[in-house]
Structures are given as C-alpha cells and as structure tokens.
Amino acid sequence: SFYWILLLYNFDSVMSIGVALLLVYTPLSVIYALGAFKNEIASLKISICDVVANIAEKLSGLIGILLFILGIGVGAYTGFLLSAAHKIALWNTPVLPLLFLVSGLSCAGAFTLLLGVLKDEKRAQNQTAHFLLKFDFLAIIVEFLLIVALFMVVKGASASGAQSVANALSANSLGLMFYIGVIGLGMAVPIILDLSVLKVHDFKREFAVLNAILVICGVFLLRYYIVYAGQIFI
C-alpha cells in the first residue's frame, strides 16, 4: 500500500528522500506561517493555534533557516526523481534538478509578489516588491540558460538524445506550447514587464500582478512540457 512509503525509508531511493523532506517541510511551513500571521491567528481564538504561533514566532529565525535548507531539497527533488529514469533522454541529465530548483524559486518569488501586491493596497512595501521583481528577473534569465543547457547536454549525449530534442522542439502541440507558453508568455513578457516596472519606484500594481501570474503559469507549463515531452519523445 502507498502509506508504507511514509513509514519505511530507503535513503538510496530518490523517492524516499523526497517523501522524507516533504514530511518535515510541510508541517514546518505551517508552523512558520502560524508564527508569521500570529495576529490574524489570535483573532480565531483557538488556544492550541495561539500556543503554536507564539512558539513559532520565537523560533522563527531557526525555522526559517531549516525551511530554506529543506526547500532547496524539495525544489530539486522532482528533477532528481525524473533524472533517475535513465531511458528517457530529456530527463536523464544533471541539468534537470537545477532547472526545477530555479524554476521553483522563480515561481515562489512570483507568488510572494502576487500576494504582497494584492494585500499591500497602500503601497507601503514597494521596495520589497522591487526586490522580488529583480529576483524574478534574474531567476528567469538563469532558468532560460538552464533550458538551453538541458537541450544542449541531451543533444550531445547520444544520437537518440539529439532526435528527442529535435522532436521536442518541432512544431507539434507540445513544441508550440513551449515556444508560446513557456518562452513567450512565461519568460519574454515577464522580462519586458520587469524592465518596464523597475524603471519607476511607484510602479503600476497591474503590471506586477500580470507579471507574477505569467511567471507562475510559465513554470507550470515548463514542468508539464518536460514531463510529457520526455515520455512522448523517447
């Protein structure tokens, strides 16, 4: 049964390592959130939540460091899991975990920006929003370079890999989704928006929201593309 993977661990298995990371990361992130939103939690008047929120607030620095370390593992986990499939050319590359990690960071930055901009109606946190926009701009650039590196590594690894890359980048439905959804709307447009928004301090909230939504959608489309293109174009 599936639940045995939650109880029995084989740390030679990438899946077991990923499950272990998630089992620690998920409750810790909830505890950290309780501390971060202590005032909002207090209004619920649930005693156990108040106790946990107070403890989490006091230990927020330590929990934050642990979450950062665990988050790197969780972010790269899917890439390592897929790259263990040696017969699938597009997955069997050390670039994939890095790509998934960077794309995950990009998505996290965009999601944080989206929530922050929507909540910060008085624009008191424009400086933080600018930082997130700069971070996401750099993340997108690195993400694009890693995508190029992934295709180059796979193409140079073998003749079958070169054929897989050629098929994956051809004008089929997945290829068009990659060019339009991932590269176009998920990367090129956000980069243009980032550059335009970062020019002024009092930026338009609508641009930041649109930028964040496009980045998030682009990351999901990238993962969809990698997973399905890898299986179809073996």
Side-chain angles (χ1 to χ4, degrees):
S1 299
F2 173 77
Y3 70 87
W4 283 112
I5 198 173
L6 305 177
L7 302 174
L8 302 176
Y9 292 95
N10 172 18
F11 287 102
D12 291 328
S13 166
V14 175
M15 183 173 288
S16 286
I17 294 172
V19 170
L21 288 172
L22 285 169
L23 280 177
V24 178
Y25 180 84
T26 303
L28 264 184
S29 62
V30 173
I31 292 171
Y32 186 83
L34 289 175
F37 295 97
K38 178 184 174 182
N39 295 332
E40 289 82 354
I41 296 298
S43 64
L44 299 176
K45 297 181 180 180
I46 302 175
S47 57
I48 184 65
C49 290
D50 290 337
V51 172
V52 175
N54 288 327
I55 296 173
E57 185 183 34
K58 293 177 181 178
L59 299 175
S60 61
L62 176 61
I63 297 175
I65 293 172
L66 289 174
L67 283 175
F68 177 77
I69 296 171
L70 291 169
I72 292 175
V74 171
Y77 155 64
T78 310
F80 280 114
L81 185 63
L82 293 178
S83 64
H86 300 297
K87 293 185 178 181
I88 299 181
L90 284 177
W91 296 355
N92 186 25
T93 166
V95 179
L96 193 59
L98 285 173
L99 175 59
F100 273 36
L101 175 59
V102 173
S103 67
L105 290 172
S106 176
C107 185
F111 188 71
T112 304
L113 174 66
L114 178 62
L115 292 182
V117 170
L118 291 177
K119 186 177 180 181
D120 185 29
E121 296 180 358
K122 296 181 179 179
R123 305 189 181 189
Q125 301 296 327
N126 273 11
Q127 187 174 356
T128 303
H130 269 251
F131 170 79
L132 289 171
L133 285 167
K134 290 179 182 177
F135 171 81
D136 209 46
F137 174 80
L138 294 174
I140 292 172
I141 297 298
V142 174
E143 188 179 355
F144 176 76
L145 293 175
L146 286 172
I147 290 173
V148 174
L150 183 143
F151 286 130
M152 291 181 65
V153 169
V154 173
K155 184 178 180 180
S158 64
S160 60
Q163 187 61 46
S164 295
V165 170
N167 291 334
L169 294 177
S170 61
N172 49 60
S173 57
L174 277 176
L176 292 175
M177 185 193 74
F178 173 73
Y179 292 123
I180 298 172
V182 178
I183 301 299
L185 297 177
M187 292 185 175
V189 175
I191 284 176
I192 294 171
L193 288 173
D194 280 340
L195 291 175
S196 62
V197 168
L198 289 171
K199 286 183 179 180
V200 291
H201 179 70
D202 190 20
F203 60 85
K204 291 185 177 180
R205 291 160 51 87
E206 296 80 5
F207 282 10
V209 170
L210 177 60
N211 174 83
I213 292 173
L214 288 175
V215 169
I216 293 169
C217 291
V219 169
F220 277 100
L221 288 176
L222 172 64
R223 291 172 183 244
Y224 181 94
Y225 171 79
I226 293 292
V227 169
Y228 280 92
Q231 295 177 78
I232 295 172
F233 306 117
I234 298 177

